[in-house]
Amino acid sequence: MGFLLKYNLIQNVRKRAEMFWGLLFPIILGTLFYVSFGNSGIQQMEAVPVALVREGNKIFEAFLGTMEGETLIITPMEEEDAKNALRDGKVEGIYYSSQEPSLAVAGTQIGESILESVLKAYLQNESLLRKIARENPFGLIGALQTFSDYGNLVEQVNLGGRTMDNSINYFFALIGMACLFGAFSGASAATYLRADQSALAIRKSIVPVGRLAIVASELLSSFAVQFFNICVLLCYLHFVLGISFGPKWPLLIPVCLLGSITGVAFGLVVGMLPMREEAKVGIVVSSSLLMSFLAGLMFGNMKNIVEQHFPILNKVNPAALISDAFYSVSVYENMERYRMNLMILGAITVLCTVFCVIKLRRERYDSL
């Protein structure tokens, strides 16, 4: 097993085309993104602009007023004007101060997350605030100031006093694309394991080694090379280009590992298709770029558009799952969202890998 793994690693590293697409192309594209956007993806934390439609809930309006300045920029508007401002991007949300306060947003970025957290905090303490207003009106302002201490909130969603704009989505989608480009290695591995598709596979089929050992060594070597490529890409983005991934960067390692395995497993599935090598390469390129496009590689807000109109697509798109896992850790720091992304990504990987292993183990040839 060790002998096979060693020479499969050497063989994979010497594949110039696959090393270009798996390592050099993402680095080149990341550099072009940096030249286009600079380091504008990392900015100082700014207050979130929000419209307020007054509907009579004075307690909620007073609660919002205690946070105006550092956390929120509140502009009272009529409902129609507020909707126009939200559509034009002038505000990131609309608060309605009705008896049951509500919030309308147009996306799922960090600003919208802050607005949602503010509303949630108010709703959790609403009954207590009403009791204070009823029994001790003079103590209401002090209570509001106590409840509106959002120092912890700011710490959770920013990176050392910083936040990120939409340009960072391009880099997260780039990492998702790089992981999927492991499909080139996976498709080649499938070819080298099927005796009806390559001379090397014929020689491997007649050696006195168990079929499982041959398959496992081929897969492990492909996984290892792809994971190495992703680690090099991350180091380049962080240490050379200065892209920050936040203080919890160790949580990105499982994403990179699982994303690398997913890319290779996807390539294995494509490699099993009964068609010519050129057609398989075309499928890998077109499908990887399509999934990366839907994750925001060419248009940074595309993933949010998909989430609004066809959210199930983001749940089965590996590039979107990888990008969202990076966003969850680096910007939003939502561990539940992070774990869900990993679980779905793992399920996709297991299905692809098990299918390929079972199919490869059952193959037999009348003659070679």
Side-chain angles (χ1 to χ4, degrees):
M1 180 69 178
F3 178 85
L4 291 173
L5 184 59
K6 172 185 174 182
Y7 283 96
N8 281 330
L9 285 171
I10 295 174
Q11 175 183 305
N12 286 330
V13 171
R14 289 177 177 176
K15 297 175 183 175
R16 295 183 179 180
E18 293 173 14
M19 292 300 292
F20 170 79
W21 289 109
L23 179 60
L24 294 182
F25 180 73
I27 288 177
I28 294 171
L29 191 57
T31 303
L32 294 177
F33 283 164
Y34 180 78
V35 171
S36 300
F37 307 125
N39 215 9
S40 61
I42 303 177
Q43 301 175 338
Q44 293 298 322
M45 172 67 77
E46 297 179 355
V48 181
V50 61
L52 173 62
V53 178
R54 299 184 185 276
E55 296 183 349
N57 191 332
K58 300 299 182 181
I59 296 179
F60 180 63
E61 293 172 9
F63 177 79
L64 293 180
T66 62
M67 282 173 289
E68 188 167 11
E70 292 187 2
T71 305
L72 302 177
I73 300 176
I74 303 173
T75 305
M77 297 183 184
E78 296 297 326
E79 184 174 4
E80 191 62 31
D81 295 334
K83 290 181 178 179
N84 292 334
L86 181 63
R87 184 174 57 251
D88 297 338
K90 296 179 181 178
V91 297
E92 297 193 33
I94 304 172
Y95 280 126
Y96 294 89
S97 63
S98 56
Q99 189 68 21
E100 182 69 24
S102 60
L103 169 68
V105 296
T108 57
Q109 300 297 321
I110 188 171
E112 288 84 346
S113 300
I114 293 176
L115 297 179
E116 182 183 1
S117 298
V118 170
L119 178 61
K120 186 181 296 185
Y122 171 81
L123 294 176
Q124 290 174 345
N125 296 283
E126 180 181 19
S127 61
L128 180 59
L129 289 172
R130 290 188 179 279
K131 182 178 179 181
I132 294 174
R134 185 174 59 253
E135 297 180 358
N136 183 18
F138 296 103
L140 180 60
I141 298 299
L144 288 171
Q145 291 175 346
T146 300
F147 289 135
S148 63
D149 182 9
Y150 277 84
N152 293 331
L153 174 63
V154 175
E155 277 187 15
Q156 292 175 8
V157 298
N158 70 54
L159 310 177
R162 296 178 176 180
T163 186
M164 299 182 179
D165 65 18
N166 285 336
S167 66
I168 198 65
N169 290 331
Y170 291 98
F171 294 98
F172 293 159
L174 172 66
I175 297 168
M177 182 202 70
C179 290
L180 289 183
F181 274 178
F184 287 105
S185 179
S188 295
T191 300
Y192 295 147
L193 289 170
R194 302 188 67 184
D196 60 337
Q197 295 189 7
S198 71
L200 179 59
I202 293 176
R203 294 196 294 272
K204 287 185 176 182
S205 297
I206 61 177
V207 298
V209 178
R211 183 68 170 166
L212 182 59
I214 295 175
V215 173
S217 64
E218 191 73 51
L219 297 184
L220 287 174
S221 62
S222 299
F223 295 157
V225 172
Q226 178 63 13
F227 181 58
F228 172 79
N229 291 341
I230 299 301
C231 289
V232 172
L233 173 63
L234 285 179
C235 290
Y236 176 77
L237 293 177
H238 179 66
F239 294 107
V240 179
L241 301 185
I243 305 300
S244 174
F245 294 108
K248 295 186 177 181
W249 62 264
L251 293 175
L252 301 178
I253 295 177
V255 182
C256 295
L257 180 60
L258 195 53
S260 301
I261 297 174
T262 303
V264 175
F266 171 66
L268 283 171
V269 173
V270 175
M272 296 294 171
L273 300 177
M275 56 181 60
R276 299 178 58 183
E277 188 70 21
E278 295 79 5
K280 295 178 183 179
V281 172
I283 292 176
V284 169
V285 172
S286 58
S287 57
S288 298
L289 290 179
L290 176 61
M291 288 187 283
S292 300
F293 166 73
L294 294 175
L297 182 66
M298 293 79 167
F299 178 57
N301 201 39
M302 178 55 67
K303 185 160 66 71
N304 292 330
I305 295 176
V306 174
E307 185 68 28
Q308 291 177 13
H309 297 92
F310 196 37
I312 189 63
L313 192 56
N314 279 341
K315 301 302 182 184
V316 297
N317 180 0
L321 292 170
I322 294 168
S323 173
D324 196 63
F326 266 78
Y327 185 86
S328 299
V329 174
S330 301
V331 180
Y332 192 45
E333 296 194 10
N334 186 325
M335 292 301 100
E336 181 179 352
R337 183 171 166 180
Y338 168 81
R339 287 190 292 269
M340 182 59 65
N341 287 325
L342 288 188
M343 289 174 61
I344 299 175
L345 197 61
I348 295 173
T349 304
V350 169
L351 288 175
C352 291
T353 305
V354 170
F355 168 78
C356 295
V357 169
I358 292 176
K359 186 172 178 58
L360 286 169
R361 290 191 65 190
R362 289 181 176 179
E363 284 191 339
R364 297 293 184 271
Y365 304 96
D366 293 333
S367 62
L368 295 173

